[in-house]
Amino acid sequence: MFKISKKELKDIFIAFLVISLSFSLLYSNRDTDAFLFVLPIVMIGVGLGFILHELAHKFAALNYGYWAEFELWMPGLFIALISSFFGFIFAAPGAVVIYGNSMSKKVNGIISIVGPITNIVIALIFLLGLRHFGIFTSLSNDMLVYLANIFYLGFSVNAFLALFNLLPIAVFDGKKVFDWNPIIWLAITAIAGYLVYLSYSGGLSSLLTL
C-alpha cells in the first residue's frame, strides 16, 4: 500500500539534493569552506523537513485509498537555486500529486494538514534537543557546534515551513485545511506561529535559560 516507485525515489532524492544545495549556498554566502561546513547541517535540518512534509501528504492520501506520488517541478528547482544567489529561497521543488475521484473537504483537509503537522513535530524534536543540550557536553567542541547548528536550523526552518504552508490562500495546504475546518486551521496555525515567534524574536534563547 505504501509503495514508492523508483522514479519517485529519484525525484525525492533530486529534490532533497537541490533544496540542500540551495539553502547551503544561501547560508554560506557561496564561500567554499563555509559551504562544506553548512551542507551536512542543512541536509539534516532543512532537506529532511521538506521531504518528510511531502511524504506525509503521500501516505495520508494512500491511507484514504488514493494513489499519490511525489513529482518534481523542474522550474521550481531552478528557481530555488537561482534565488539563493539573491539572498532568499523560493523553494518549490515539487509536490505530491493525488490521483482519484472526488474528495470531500474533510479528507482533503486532513491530507493537507499532515504536512505542516509533520514540520511542527520535527521542529519540536529539534527544540527538545536544544532544550536538553547539556546531555551532549561529553562531545568535542566541534561536534557541539555542529549539533547546536543542526538543532537550531532544524527548529527554525521547520517552524517557518509549517507556518508558511498554512497560509489560507490557493495552492497552499492552509487553504484546504481552512475550507475543511477553520477552528483546526486556527489552532495549528497558532502553534506554528508561536514556534516561529520563539525562533525569530529572541524567545527561544529565553526559553533555553529556564
Side-chain angles (χ1 to χ4, degrees), residues 23-46:
F23 274 90
S24 296
L25 286 169
L26 175 68
Y27 291 137
S28 67
N29 199 27
R30 300 181 300 281
D31 176 80
T32 302
D33 291 337
F35 177 84
L36 294 175
F37 176 83
V38 166
L39 182 59
I41 296 171
V42 169
M43 283 182 167
I44 298 172
V46 180

Side-chain angles (χ1 to χ4, degrees), residues 68-89:
E69 189 170 51
F70 178 82
E71 295 183 3
L72 279 179
W73 186 48
M74 294 305 294
L77 296 178
F78 288 113
I79 291 171
L81 281 171
I82 292 171
S83 63
S84 68
F85 286 89
F86 293 92
F88 69 98
I89 295 286

Side-chain angles (χ1 to χ4, degrees), residues 29 58 69 81 88 91 100 102 118-119 123 132 139 149 157 168 171 174 186 188 196 209:
N29 199 27
K58 172 187 172 70
E69 189 170 51
L81 281 171
F88 69 98
S102 60
T118 297
N119 290 125
H132 298 283
L139 299 176
N149 279 279
V157 170
V171 311
L186 181 61
I188 299 300
V196 170
T209 61

Side-chain angles (χ1 to χ4, degrees), residues 6 77 140 149 166 202 208:
K6 290 182 179 179
L77 296 178
S140 67
N149 279 279
L166 284 166
L208 296 177

